[in-house]
Protein backbone atom coordinates (compact mmCIF):
# COMPACT_ATOMS: atom_id res chain seq x y z
CA UNK A 1 0.00 0.00 0.00
CA UNK A 2 1.21 3.49 -0.85
CA UNK A 3 0.58 6.68 1.04
CA UNK A 4 -0.12 10.30 0.15
CA UNK A 5 0.83 13.26 2.39
CA UNK A 6 -1.39 14.31 5.28
CA UNK A 7 -1.81 17.82 3.85
CA UNK A 8 -2.72 16.50 0.38
CA UNK A 9 -5.73 18.00 -1.43
CA UNK A 10 -8.20 15.36 -2.65
CA UNK A 11 -10.15 17.41 -5.14
CA UNK A 12 -12.77 17.22 -7.82
CA UNK A 13 -12.64 19.21 -11.05
CA UNK A 14 -15.29 20.94 -13.14
CA UNK A 15 -15.50 23.75 -15.71
CA UNK A 16 -18.13 26.44 -16.08
CA UNK A 17 -19.40 25.64 -19.58
CA UNK A 18 -19.30 21.89 -19.01
CA UNK A 19 -21.16 21.94 -15.70
CA UNK A 20 -23.24 25.08 -15.24
CA UNK A 21 -25.75 24.96 -18.09
CA UNK A 22 -27.91 28.11 -17.92
CA UNK A 23 -26.00 29.52 -20.89
CA UNK A 24 -28.46 32.37 -21.41
CA UNK A 25 -29.62 33.03 -17.83
CA UNK A 26 -29.12 36.12 -15.71
CA UNK A 27 -27.32 38.20 -18.31
CA UNK A 28 -24.65 35.73 -19.37
CA UNK A 29 -23.08 36.69 -22.68
CA UNK A 30 -22.63 34.34 -25.61
CA UNK A 31 -19.54 32.26 -26.30
CA UNK A 32 -18.54 30.75 -29.64
CA UNK A 33 -19.57 27.31 -28.45
CA UNK A 34 -23.24 28.32 -28.31
CA UNK A 35 -23.54 28.78 -32.07
CA UNK A 36 -20.96 26.09 -32.93
CA UNK A 37 -22.84 23.35 -31.07
CA UNK A 38 -26.18 24.49 -32.45
CA UNK A 39 -24.84 24.33 -36.01
CA UNK A 40 -23.41 20.85 -35.42
CA UNK A 41 -26.72 19.73 -33.93
CA UNK A 42 -25.23 16.77 -32.04
CA UNK A 43 -25.73 17.88 -28.46
CA UNK A 44 -26.52 20.91 -26.35
CA UNK A 45 -24.63 22.52 -23.44
CA UNK A 46 -27.95 22.86 -21.64
CA UNK A 47 -28.61 21.69 -19.03
CA UNK A 48 -25.15 20.09 -18.65
CA UNK A 49 -24.97 19.20 -14.93
CA UNK A 50 -27.07 22.26 -14.03
CA UNK A 51 -24.37 23.35 -11.60
CA UNK A 52 -25.75 26.87 -11.93
CA UNK A 53 -28.72 25.73 -9.83
CA UNK A 54 -27.39 22.51 -8.28
CA UNK A 55 -24.14 23.81 -6.83
CA UNK A 56 -25.37 23.60 -3.20
CA UNK A 57 -26.03 19.88 -3.74
CA UNK A 58 -22.64 19.28 -5.38
CA UNK A 59 -20.67 21.20 -2.76
CA UNK A 60 -22.48 19.31 0.02
CA UNK A 61 -21.54 16.05 -1.71
CA UNK A 62 -17.93 17.21 -1.74
CA UNK A 63 -17.94 17.56 2.02
CA UNK A 64 -19.76 14.26 2.54
CA UNK A 65 -17.33 12.29 0.36
CA UNK A 66 -14.05 13.83 1.49
CA UNK A 67 -13.49 16.07 -1.53
CA UNK A 68 -11.74 18.99 0.14
CA UNK A 69 -10.84 20.96 -2.98
CA UNK A 70 -13.09 21.98 -5.87
CA UNK A 71 -11.58 23.10 -9.13
CA UNK A 72 -14.03 25.26 -11.07
CA UNK A 73 -13.86 28.10 -13.55
CA UNK A 74 -15.47 31.50 -13.81
CA UNK A 75 -17.35 32.00 -17.05
CA UNK A 76 -15.80 35.24 -18.34
CA UNK A 77 -19.03 36.13 -20.18
CA UNK A 78 -21.05 35.71 -16.98
CA UNK A 79 -19.00 38.56 -15.49
CA UNK A 80 -18.48 40.63 -18.65
CA UNK A 81 -21.09 39.55 -21.25
CA UNK A 82 -19.04 41.04 -24.11
CA UNK A 83 -15.67 40.44 -22.52
CA UNK A 84 -15.22 44.12 -21.70
CA UNK A 85 -17.45 46.94 -20.49
CA UNK A 86 -19.76 46.98 -17.51
CA UNK A 87 -19.76 43.91 -15.22
CA UNK A 88 -22.89 41.85 -14.73
CA UNK A 89 -24.07 42.03 -11.07
CA UNK A 90 -26.00 38.75 -11.26
CA UNK A 91 -22.95 36.86 -12.48
CA UNK A 92 -20.82 38.37 -9.74
CA UNK A 93 -23.37 37.48 -7.06
CA UNK A 94 -23.60 33.92 -8.34
CA UNK A 95 -19.88 33.25 -7.99
CA UNK A 96 -19.72 34.92 -4.59
CA UNK A 97 -22.38 32.50 -3.39
CA UNK A 98 -20.61 29.49 -4.91
CA UNK A 99 -17.38 30.40 -3.13
CA UNK A 100 -19.27 31.07 0.11
CA UNK A 101 -20.85 27.63 -0.07
CA UNK A 102 -17.43 26.07 -0.64
CA UNK A 103 -15.93 27.73 2.41
CA UNK A 104 -18.91 26.86 4.60
CA UNK A 105 -18.54 23.18 3.62
CA UNK A 106 -14.76 23.05 4.14
CA UNK A 107 -14.06 22.83 0.41
CA UNK A 108 -11.24 24.98 -0.96
CA UNK A 109 -12.13 26.66 -4.28
CA UNK A 110 -9.41 26.52 -6.94
CA UNK A 111 -10.56 28.94 -9.63
CA UNK A 112 -9.59 29.04 -13.29
CA UNK A 113 -10.15 32.30 -15.17
CA UNK A 114 -10.40 30.84 -18.68
CA UNK A 115 -11.54 27.32 -19.53
CA UNK A 116 -12.15 27.29 -23.32
CA UNK A 117 -14.86 29.99 -23.20
CA UNK A 118 -13.77 33.39 -24.49
CA UNK A 119 -16.78 35.71 -24.82
CA UNK A 120 -18.06 35.55 -28.40
CA UNK A 121 -17.65 39.28 -28.99
CA UNK A 122 -13.90 38.87 -28.46
CA UNK A 123 -13.67 35.41 -30.03
CA UNK A 124 -15.12 36.80 -33.26
CA UNK A 125 -12.32 39.37 -33.28
CA UNK A 126 -9.67 36.65 -33.42
CA UNK A 127 -9.63 35.26 -29.89
CA UNK A 128 -6.02 35.11 -28.64
CA UNK A 129 -4.59 35.67 -32.11
CA UNK A 130 -5.74 39.27 -31.61
CA UNK A 131 -3.31 41.05 -29.29
CA UNK A 132 -6.03 43.44 -28.12
CA UNK A 133 -7.79 40.49 -26.51
CA UNK A 134 -4.79 39.94 -24.28
CA UNK A 135 -5.52 43.35 -22.75
CA UNK A 136 -9.17 42.37 -22.24
CA UNK A 137 -8.21 39.14 -20.50
CA UNK A 138 -5.75 40.84 -18.17
CA UNK A 139 -8.37 43.47 -17.24
CA UNK A 140 -10.94 40.74 -16.53
CA UNK A 141 -8.43 38.85 -14.39
CA UNK A 142 -7.58 41.97 -12.38
CA UNK A 143 -11.29 42.59 -11.77
CA UNK A 144 -11.69 39.04 -10.45
CA UNK A 145 -8.68 39.30 -8.14
CA UNK A 146 -10.13 42.44 -6.57
CA UNK A 147 -13.78 41.28 -6.48
CA UNK A 148 -13.48 37.67 -5.32
CA UNK A 149 -11.20 38.12 -2.33
CA UNK A 150 -12.46 34.86 -0.82
CA UNK A 151 -10.53 32.96 -3.53
CA UNK A 152 -6.89 32.19 -2.67
CA UNK A 153 -5.97 29.80 -5.50
CA UNK A 154 -6.05 31.16 -9.06
CA UNK A 155 -5.18 29.62 -12.43
CA UNK A 156 -4.96 31.86 -15.46
CA UNK A 157 -5.72 29.37 -18.23
CA UNK A 158 -6.81 25.78 -18.63
CA UNK A 159 -4.94 23.77 -21.27
CA UNK A 160 -3.35 26.30 -23.60
CA UNK A 161 -2.12 23.60 -25.98
CA UNK A 162 -5.59 22.07 -26.54
CA UNK A 163 -7.01 25.57 -27.07
CA UNK A 164 -4.54 26.15 -29.90
CA UNK A 165 -4.64 22.70 -31.49
CA UNK A 166 -8.35 21.99 -31.17
CA UNK A 167 -9.14 25.38 -32.71
CA UNK A 168 -6.49 25.46 -35.44
CA UNK A 169 -5.12 21.93 -35.98
CA UNK A 170 -7.83 19.33 -35.31
CA UNK A 171 -10.68 21.75 -35.97
CA UNK A 172 -12.94 20.19 -33.32
CA UNK A 173 -13.31 23.49 -31.41
CA UNK A 174 -14.66 26.66 -32.97
CA UNK A 175 -13.68 28.17 -35.38
CA UNK A 176 -12.98 24.68 -36.78
CA UNK A 177 -9.73 25.39 -38.66
CA UNK A 178 -7.52 22.48 -39.73
CA UNK A 179 -3.72 22.18 -39.92
CA UNK A 180 -2.78 25.86 -39.55
CA UNK A 181 0.46 25.75 -37.56
CA UNK A 182 1.03 29.48 -37.84
CA UNK A 183 -2.13 30.03 -35.83
CA UNK A 184 -1.30 27.16 -33.44
CA UNK A 185 2.11 28.60 -32.57
CA UNK A 186 0.97 32.21 -32.23
CA UNK A 187 -2.02 31.20 -30.11
CA UNK A 188 0.28 29.25 -27.77
CA UNK A 189 2.67 32.17 -27.48
CA UNK A 190 0.07 34.89 -27.05
CA UNK A 191 -1.77 32.97 -24.33
CA UNK A 192 1.52 32.46 -22.49
CA UNK A 193 2.16 36.19 -22.75
CA UNK A 194 -1.31 36.85 -21.31
CA UNK A 195 -0.53 34.40 -18.51
CA UNK A 196 2.75 36.17 -17.73
CA UNK A 197 1.13 39.59 -17.72
CA UNK A 198 -1.58 38.33 -15.36
CA UNK A 199 0.93 36.74 -12.98
CA UNK A 200 2.94 39.96 -12.90
CA UNK A 201 -0.14 42.05 -12.09
CA UNK A 202 -1.12 39.59 -9.36
CA UNK A 203 2.35 39.76 -7.78
CA UNK A 204 2.95 43.48 -8.32
CA UNK A 205 -0.34 44.28 -6.58
CA UNK A 206 0.37 41.80 -3.78
CA UNK A 207 -3.02 40.12 -4.01
CA UNK A 208 -3.35 37.40 -1.36
CA UNK A 209 -3.09 33.77 -2.31
CA UNK A 210 -1.34 31.91 -5.10
CA UNK A 211 -1.42 31.91 -8.88
CA UNK A 212 -0.36 29.47 -11.57
CA UNK A 213 -1.35 27.97 -14.89
CA UNK A 214 -2.86 24.63 -15.89
CA UNK A 215 -1.13 22.83 -18.76
CA UNK A 216 -2.27 19.67 -20.50
CA UNK A 217 0.93 17.60 -20.71
CA UNK A 218 0.91 14.23 -22.48
CA UNK A 219 4.26 12.49 -22.28
CA UNK A 220 5.88 11.56 -25.61
CA UNK A 221 7.98 8.46 -26.30
CA UNK A 222 9.59 7.16 -29.50
CA UNK A 223 7.95 3.96 -30.66
CA UNK A 224 11.41 2.51 -31.48
CA UNK A 225 15.08 3.26 -30.90
CA UNK A 226 15.58 4.52 -34.44
CA UNK A 227 17.00 8.07 -34.71
CA UNK A 228 14.00 9.04 -36.85
CA UNK A 229 11.43 7.97 -34.25
CA UNK A 230 13.44 9.54 -31.42
CA UNK A 231 13.42 12.80 -33.35
CA UNK A 232 9.69 12.52 -34.04
CA UNK A 233 9.04 12.22 -30.29
CA UNK A 234 11.34 15.22 -29.72
CA UNK A 235 9.32 17.34 -32.17
CA UNK A 236 5.97 16.32 -30.65
CA UNK A 237 7.31 17.08 -27.20
CA UNK A 238 8.79 20.40 -28.33
CA UNK A 239 5.54 21.93 -29.48
CA UNK A 240 3.19 20.39 -26.89
CA UNK A 241 5.24 20.30 -23.67
CA UNK A 242 8.59 22.04 -23.90
CA UNK A 243 7.16 25.19 -25.53
CA UNK A 244 4.77 25.66 -22.60
CA UNK A 245 7.24 24.82 -19.84
CA UNK A 246 9.96 27.07 -21.25
CA UNK A 247 7.48 29.93 -21.56
CA UNK A 248 6.31 29.29 -17.99
CA UNK A 249 9.61 28.69 -16.22
CA UNK A 250 12.34 30.19 -18.42
CA UNK A 251 10.46 33.08 -19.97
CA UNK A 252 12.38 32.68 -23.21
CA UNK A 253 12.56 29.84 -25.73
CA UNK A 254 15.83 27.95 -25.99
CA UNK A 255 17.71 27.55 -29.27
CA UNK A 256 16.75 23.85 -29.36
CA UNK A 257 13.08 24.73 -29.05
CA UNK A 258 13.26 27.41 -31.75
CA UNK A 259 15.07 24.98 -34.07
CA UNK A 260 12.25 22.48 -33.55
CA UNK A 261 9.65 25.14 -34.31
CA UNK A 262 11.54 26.09 -37.47
CA UNK A 263 11.58 22.46 -38.61
CA UNK A 264 7.84 22.12 -37.96
CA UNK A 265 7.14 25.37 -39.78
CA UNK A 266 9.18 24.26 -42.80
CA UNK A 267 7.17 21.02 -43.01
CA UNK A 268 3.83 22.80 -42.52
CA UNK A 269 4.45 26.04 -44.48
CA UNK A 270 3.99 28.02 -41.27
CA UNK A 271 5.69 30.97 -39.61
CA UNK A 272 5.83 32.82 -36.28
CA UNK A 273 7.02 36.12 -34.87
CA UNK A 274 7.80 36.60 -31.19
CA UNK A 275 8.38 40.09 -29.80
CA UNK A 276 11.27 40.92 -27.48
CA UNK A 277 8.82 42.75 -25.21
CA UNK A 278 6.95 39.45 -24.78
CA UNK A 279 10.12 37.72 -23.63
CA UNK A 280 10.76 40.44 -21.06
CA UNK A 281 7.23 40.03 -19.65
CA UNK A 282 7.56 36.24 -19.55
CA UNK A 283 11.01 36.38 -17.96
CA UNK A 284 9.63 38.62 -15.22
CA UNK A 285 6.90 36.06 -14.50
CA UNK A 286 9.07 32.96 -14.83
CA UNK A 287 10.04 32.79 -11.14
CA UNK A 288 6.70 34.07 -9.82
CA UNK A 289 4.45 31.09 -10.57
CA UNK A 290 3.28 29.65 -7.26
CA UNK A 291 2.29 26.32 -8.77
CA UNK A 292 1.93 24.34 -11.96
CA UNK A 293 -1.35 22.60 -12.65
CA UNK A 294 -1.01 19.48 -14.77
CA UNK A 295 -3.85 17.84 -16.64
CA UNK A 296 -2.67 14.39 -17.65
CA UNK A 297 -4.74 11.64 -19.20
CA UNK A 298 -2.49 9.77 -21.60
CA UNK A 299 0.83 9.42 -23.39
CA UNK A 300 1.80 9.06 -27.03
CA UNK A 301 4.25 6.78 -28.80
CA UNK A 302 5.65 8.57 -31.83
CA UNK A 303 6.87 7.35 -35.20
CA UNK A 304 8.53 9.49 -37.86
CA UNK A 305 6.04 10.50 -40.52
CA UNK A 306 6.26 12.19 -43.90
CA UNK A 307 2.98 12.40 -45.76
CA UNK A 308 -0.39 14.11 -45.86
CA UNK A 309 -1.80 15.47 -42.62
CA UNK A 310 -4.50 13.14 -41.32
CA UNK A 311 -6.26 13.38 -37.97
CA UNK A 312 -9.41 11.57 -36.95
CA UNK A 313 -10.74 12.45 -33.52
CA UNK A 314 -12.56 9.65 -31.71
CA UNK A 315 -15.51 11.51 -30.24
CA UNK A 316 -17.92 8.58 -29.98
CA UNK A 317 -16.06 5.91 -28.02
CA UNK A 318 -15.54 3.70 -31.08
CA UNK A 319 -12.35 2.06 -29.91
CA UNK A 320 -9.54 1.96 -32.44
CA UNK A 321 -10.84 4.76 -34.65
CA UNK A 322 -8.31 7.47 -33.73
CA UNK A 323 -5.76 8.56 -36.32
CA UNK A 324 -3.02 11.16 -35.85
CA UNK A 325 -0.44 11.75 -38.59
CA UNK A 326 1.16 15.16 -39.10
CA UNK A 327 3.69 15.72 -41.85
CA UNK A 328 7.22 16.38 -40.70
CA UNK A 329 6.38 15.74 -37.05
CA UNK A 330 5.01 12.31 -36.13
CA UNK A 331 2.44 9.59 -36.36
CA UNK A 332 1.01 8.35 -33.07
CA UNK A 333 1.15 4.57 -32.72
CA UNK A 334 -0.99 2.45 -30.40
CA UNK A 335 1.06 -0.31 -28.80
CA UNK A 336 -0.89 -3.52 -28.36
CA UNK A 337 0.68 -4.17 -24.96
CA UNK A 338 -0.73 -0.96 -23.42
CA UNK A 339 -4.45 -0.85 -22.55
CA UNK A 340 -6.56 2.09 -23.65
CA UNK A 341 -10.00 3.49 -23.06
CA UNK A 342 -12.86 3.34 -25.55
CA UNK A 343 -11.72 6.78 -26.68
CA UNK A 344 -8.22 5.45 -27.49
CA UNK A 345 -6.50 7.14 -24.55
CA UNK A 346 -3.58 5.01 -23.39
CA UNK A 347 -3.60 3.90 -19.76
CA UNK A 348 0.10 4.30 -18.93
CA UNK A 349 0.77 5.70 -15.44
CA UNK A 350 4.53 5.54 -15.99
CA UNK A 351 3.99 8.59 -18.18
CA UNK A 352 2.67 10.53 -15.19
CA UNK A 353 5.71 9.58 -13.11
CA UNK A 354 8.19 10.41 -15.88
CA UNK A 355 6.58 13.79 -16.46
CA UNK A 356 6.69 14.77 -12.78
CA UNK A 357 10.32 13.74 -12.35
CA UNK A 358 11.26 15.60 -15.52
CA UNK A 359 9.76 18.86 -14.27
CA UNK A 360 11.66 18.61 -11.00
CA UNK A 361 14.89 18.00 -12.91
CA UNK A 362 14.51 20.54 -15.75
CA UNK A 363 12.79 23.38 -13.86
CA UNK A 364 14.02 23.14 -10.25
CA UNK A 365 12.35 26.43 -9.24
CA UNK A 366 8.86 25.02 -10.03
CA UNK A 367 7.74 25.33 -6.34
CA UNK A 368 4.82 22.87 -6.36
CA UNK A 369 2.49 20.90 -8.58
CA UNK A 370 -1.21 20.11 -8.47
CA UNK A 371 -2.56 17.36 -10.70
CA UNK A 372 -5.52 19.45 -11.79
CA UNK A 373 -7.12 16.82 -14.03
CA UNK A 374 -6.81 13.08 -14.37
CA UNK A 375 -9.53 10.49 -14.73
CA UNK A 376 -11.16 7.88 -16.90
CA UNK A 377 -13.95 8.40 -19.37
CA UNK A 378 -16.19 5.38 -19.11
CA UNK A 379 -19.58 4.17 -20.28
CA UNK A 380 -21.05 3.78 -16.80
CA UNK A 381 -23.95 1.38 -16.38
CA UNK A 382 -26.80 2.57 -14.17
CA UNK A 383 -28.72 -0.15 -12.37
CA UNK A 384 -31.39 1.15 -9.99
CA UNK A 385 -29.08 3.79 -8.55
CA UNK A 386 -26.05 1.50 -8.33
CA UNK A 387 -23.05 2.34 -10.50
CA UNK A 388 -20.19 -0.12 -10.28
CA UNK A 389 -17.25 1.55 -12.02
CA UNK A 390 -14.44 -0.78 -10.98
CA UNK A 391 -12.32 -0.01 -14.09
CA UNK A 392 -12.27 3.65 -13.05
CA UNK A 393 -11.09 2.71 -9.55
CA UNK A 394 -8.33 0.57 -11.07
CA UNK A 395 -7.30 3.52 -13.25
CA UNK A 396 -7.21 5.95 -10.32
CA UNK A 397 -5.28 3.49 -8.18
CA UNK A 398 -2.57 3.19 -10.85
CA UNK A 399 -2.18 6.92 -11.45
CA UNK A 400 -2.27 7.90 -7.79
CA UNK A 401 0.36 5.24 -7.12
CA UNK A 402 2.57 6.85 -9.78
CA UNK A 403 2.06 10.21 -8.07
CA UNK A 404 2.97 8.66 -4.72
CA UNK A 405 6.17 7.27 -6.25
CA UNK A 406 7.07 10.70 -7.65
CA UNK A 407 6.52 12.30 -4.23
CA UNK A 408 8.74 9.64 -2.66
CA UNK A 409 11.40 10.59 -5.21
CA UNK A 410 11.27 14.24 -4.24
CA UNK A 411 8.63 15.85 -6.46
CA UNK A 412 6.44 18.32 -4.58
CA UNK A 413 2.89 17.34 -5.56
CA UNK A 414 0.36 18.84 -3.17
CA UNK A 415 -2.98 17.83 -4.59
CA UNK A 416 -5.00 15.76 -7.04
CA UNK A 417 -8.24 16.86 -8.70
CA UNK A 418 -10.18 14.02 -10.23
CA UNK A 419 -11.85 14.85 -13.52
CA UNK A 420 -14.60 15.11 -12.86
CA UNK A 421 -16.57 15.78 -9.70
CA UNK A 422 -19.85 14.86 -11.33
CA UNK A 423 -20.74 13.68 -14.82
CA UNK A 424 -20.89 16.67 -17.11
CA UNK A 425 -21.03 17.88 -20.68
CA UNK A 426 -17.96 17.06 -22.77
CA UNK A 427 -16.88 19.44 -25.54
CA UNK A 428 -16.58 16.86 -28.32
CA UNK A 429 -18.41 13.89 -26.79
CA UNK A 430 -21.58 15.38 -25.39
CA UNK A 431 -23.02 13.21 -22.63
CA UNK A 432 -21.98 9.66 -23.51
CA UNK A 433 -18.50 9.94 -21.96
CA UNK A 434 -18.81 9.96 -18.19
CA UNK A 435 -15.99 10.85 -15.79
CA UNK A 436 -17.70 11.78 -12.54
CA UNK A 437 -17.54 10.48 -9.01
CA UNK A 438 -21.26 11.19 -9.02
CA UNK A 439 -23.56 9.87 -11.73
CA UNK A 440 -25.90 12.53 -13.10
CA UNK A 441 -29.29 11.60 -14.49
CA UNK A 442 -29.41 14.40 -17.05
CA UNK A 443 -33.19 14.16 -17.28
CA UNK A 444 -33.84 14.72 -13.57
CA UNK A 445 -30.44 16.15 -12.52
CA UNK A 446 -30.38 13.75 -9.61
CA UNK A 447 -26.93 12.73 -8.35
CA UNK A 448 -25.92 9.16 -7.46
CA UNK A 449 -22.55 8.33 -5.85
CA UNK A 450 -20.64 5.74 -7.85
CA UNK A 451 -18.53 2.95 -6.39
CA UNK A 452 -15.53 5.20 -7.11
CA UNK A 453 -16.97 7.94 -4.87
CA UNK A 454 -16.85 5.62 -1.87
CA UNK A 455 -13.33 4.52 -2.79
CA UNK A 456 -12.21 8.13 -3.12
CA UNK A 457 -13.77 8.98 0.26
CA UNK A 458 -11.77 6.23 1.93
CA UNK A 459 -8.61 7.46 0.18
CA UNK A 460 -9.21 11.00 1.44
CA UNK A 461 -9.72 9.74 5.00
CA UNK A 462 -6.79 7.31 5.16
CA UNK A 463 -4.35 8.83 2.62
CA UNK A 464 -3.68 5.20 1.71
CA UNK A 465 -3.99 3.83 -1.82
CA UNK A 466 -5.59 0.40 -1.62
Amino acid sequence: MKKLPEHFIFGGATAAYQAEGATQEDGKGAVAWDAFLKEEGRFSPNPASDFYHQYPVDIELCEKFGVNGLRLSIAWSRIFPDGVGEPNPKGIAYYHDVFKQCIEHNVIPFVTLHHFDTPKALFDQGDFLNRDNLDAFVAYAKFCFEEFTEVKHWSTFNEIYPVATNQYLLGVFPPGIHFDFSKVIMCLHNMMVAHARTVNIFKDNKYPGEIGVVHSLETKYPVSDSPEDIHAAFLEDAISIRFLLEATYLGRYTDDLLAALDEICAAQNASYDFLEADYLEMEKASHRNDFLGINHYQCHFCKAYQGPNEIYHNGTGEKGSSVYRVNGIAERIYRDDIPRTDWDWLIYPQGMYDLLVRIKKDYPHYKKIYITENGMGYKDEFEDGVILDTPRIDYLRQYLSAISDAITDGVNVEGYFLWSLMDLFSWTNGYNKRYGLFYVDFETQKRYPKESAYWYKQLSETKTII
Side-chain angles (χ1 to χ4, degrees), residues 1-2 4 397 400-401 404 455 459 463-466:
M1 294 185 293
K2 297 180 180 180
L4 291 164
R397 183 183 294 113
L400 283 159
S401 293
S404 176
W455 182 87
L459 174 67
K463 315 297 188 293
T464 303
I465 303 166
I466 58 175

Side-chain angles (χ1 to χ4, degrees), residues 17 20 53 92 176 196 199 246 264 273 310 326 366 376 429:
Y17 199 79
E20 287 178 358
H53 302 104
I92 294 167
V199 167
E246 290 190 1
I264 290 168
D273 182 25
E310 185 180 4
V326 179
Y366 72 97
M376 182 183 184
N429 305 285

Side-chain angles (χ1 to χ4, degrees), residues 301-323:
F301 287 83
C302 303
K303 179 180 178 62
Y305 178 74
Q306 305 288 332
N309 294 332
E310 185 180 4
I311 298 176
Y312 179 79
H313 171 71
N314 177 354
T316 62
E318 183 185 349
K319 196 168 185 175
S321 60
S322 296
V323 174

Side-chain angles (χ1 to χ4, degrees), residues 177-449:
I177 293 171
H178 297 269
F179 307 119
D180 190 330
F181 273 89
S182 296
K183 287 184 170 63
V184 168
I185 292 170
M186 290 312 302
C187 180
L188 292 173
H189 175 75
N190 287 350
M191 291 182 75
M192 284 308 308
V193 173
H195 162 74
R197 288 179 58 189
T198 304
V199 167
N200 288 331
I201 282 176
F202 187 89
K203 294 299 184 180
D204 289 346
N205 285 282
K206 296 181 171 58
Y207 297 122
E210 61 179 19
I211 189 166
V213 64
V214 173
H215 289 317
S216 172
L217 304 178
E218 298 177 343
T219 320
K220 313 298 179 183
Y221 300 97
V223 75
S224 79
D225 292 332
S226 75
E228 295 81 8
D229 291 346
I230 291 170
H231 188 64
F234 165 76
L235 292 175
E236 269 254 36
D237 179 273
I239 194 165
S240 66
I241 297 180
R242 192 166 173 179
F243 188 117
L244 297 168
L245 293 179
E246 290 190 1
T248 303
Y249 286 118
L250 303 182
R252 188 177 289 268
Y253 309 118
T254 60
D255 290 342
D256 283 350
L257 188 279
L258 292 173
L261 292 184
D262 289 342
E263 184 176 346
I264 290 168
C265 286
Q268 293 291 332
N269 192 28
S271 62
Y272 61 88
D273 182 25
F274 304 148
L275 302 177
E276 179 63 23
D278 294 346
Y279 286 136
L280 296 177
E281 191 78 55
M282 292 194 302
E283 284 179 332
K284 182 180 178 182
S286 63
H287 282 66
R288 305 176 96 178
N289 295 281
D290 295 305
F291 66 87
L292 173 66
I294 296 177
N295 294 358
H296 181 88
Y297 293 95
Q298 62 169 329
C299 301
H300 299 124
F301 287 83
C302 303
K303 179 180 178 62
Y305 178 74
Q306 305 288 332
N309 294 332
E310 185 180 4
I311 298 176
Y312 179 79
H313 171 71
N314 177 354
T316 62
E318 183 185 349
K319 196 168 185 175
S321 60
S322 296
V323 174
Y324 188 99
R325 303 183 184 102
V326 179
N327 181 53
I329 304 181
E331 176 181 4
R332 295 175 182 171
I333 303 297
Y334 295 102
R335 282 176 32 181
D336 292 337
D337 61 322
I338 299 176
R340 50 182 149 148
T341 71
D342 287 337
W343 285 266
D344 294 320
W345 292 17
L346 296 181
I347 302 173
Y348 193 67
Q350 182 68 37
M352 173 82 84
Y353 174 86
D354 291 344
L355 176 66
L356 291 171
V357 172
R358 169 193 178 173
I359 290 168
K360 176 181 180 290
K361 175 179 176 291
D362 291 353
Y363 310 97
H365 62 287
Y366 72 97
K367 295 183 182 173
K368 64 182 172 182
I369 292 169
Y370 296 110
I371 303 303
T372 39
E373 285 185 30
N374 173 249
M376 182 183 184
Y378 188 60
K379 298 171 183 176
D380 292 312
E381 294 185 5
F382 181 91
E383 295 183 9
D384 296 325
V386 176
I387 305 97
L388 300 178
D389 57 342
T390 304
R392 180 175 289 113
I393 295 172
D394 292 341
Y395 177 102
L396 298 178
R397 183 183 294 113
Q398 292 180 60
Y399 276 90
L400 283 159
S401 293
I403 293 166
S404 176
D405 290 343
I407 293 171
T408 299
D409 290 340
V411 185
N412 185 24
V413 183
E414 296 202 355
Y416 175 90
F417 294 79
L418 172 69
W419 186 269
S420 52
L421 179 67
M422 79 293 278
D423 292 337
L424 35 65
F425 165 77
S426 183
W427 306 98
T428 61
N429 305 285
Y431 296 94
N432 69 335
K433 188 180 188 183
R434 293 178 179 267
Y435 280 93
L437 286 176
F438 305 111
Y439 186 98
V440 176
D441 181 333
F442 292 109
E443 294 293 324
T444 66
Q445 289 299 326
K446 186 174 179 180
R447 274 66 166 147
Y448 299 85

